[in-house]
Amino acid sequence: MTSHPPTVVVLMGVSGAGKTTVGMAAAALAGVRFLDADALHPEANVAKMAAGTPLDDADRAPWLDAVAAALVAEAPCIMACSALRAAYRERLRRDAPHARFVLLDLDRPALEARLAAREGHFMPAALLDSQLATLEPPTPGEGVLVLDATRPVDELATAVAALALPRVD
């Protein structure tokens, strides 16, 4: 039998894609901890986003360090994290090389509808344009699983939970 490092799954995508909803359901199915990278933002980042100002790479650097540290410390886990640029995903893989990434893909009208219905989140719908502009779709070489986020949550959660289960070879 081969031993594998604890699995971490990063659910990625823009705001409103369903990362938290799917991630919480998947973590429950897999029996692992759910983490939300939004909770790791420094207060200055939260204030900037709440004011409708997009984050830049300098803003995101300490946040990505905190996300990477949490992936290592909390493995096995499922983490909701935008991970919009390839460089951000690479930064997370540097500390958590066995992380599996899943992009929840959704078209703009569906995202707008979800964001309009969402209450109590610091990320305003006005930042959707900046998120979509920042998103670098994964290349085939990145090994990112892309899921149609219009599928029912239970189907998405089952697919994600399967990735989080321990491998036995």
Side-chain angles (χ1 to χ4, degrees):
M1 233 184 205
T2 304
S3 174
H4 297 280
T7 302
V8 296
V9 177
V10 178
L11 274 174
M12 56 172 284
V14 299
S15 186
K19 299 179 298 288
T20 300
T21 301
V22 172
M24 290 174 68
L29 287 173
V32 299
R33 186 163 180 199
F34 172 74
L35 305 170
D36 193 332
D38 283 346
L40 301 173
H41 272 294
E43 286 183 32
N45 284 8
V46 173
K48 193 172 183 178
M49 288 184 285
T53 305
L55 300 180
D56 59 26
D57 286 350
D59 297 321
R60 287 188 180 101
W63 171 67
L64 288 167
D65 289 343
V67 171
L71 288 173
V72 172
E74 301 296 336
C77 64
I78 294 175
M79 168 84 77
C81 176
S82 55
L84 298 175
R85 292 189 195 270
Y88 305 162
R89 298 186 290 272
E90 278 304 308
R91 167 62 193 94
L92 298 177
R93 283 187 178 110
R94 192 174 17 180
D95 287 359
H98 300 289
R100 296 173 169 191
F101 286 77
V102 178
L103 171 63
L104 294 178
D105 192 34
L106 204 56
D107 66 20
R108 181 186 191 88
L111 288 165
E112 288 173 342
R114 286 185 180 184
L115 290 173
R118 185 161 74 176
E119 296 178 9
H121 196 279
F122 64 82
M123 179 73 154
L127 289 181
L128 180 59
D129 286 337
S130 71
Q131 287 219 320
L132 290 170
T134 302
L135 177 63
E136 294 175 358
T139 63
E142 278 191 83
V144 175
L145 175 63
V146 178
L147 295 177
D148 176 356
T150 63
R151 291 173 47 198
V153 170
D154 61 332
E155 287 181 21
L156 293 167
T158 299
V160 172
L163 296 174
L165 295 172
R167 284 180 37 200
V168 179
D169 295 345

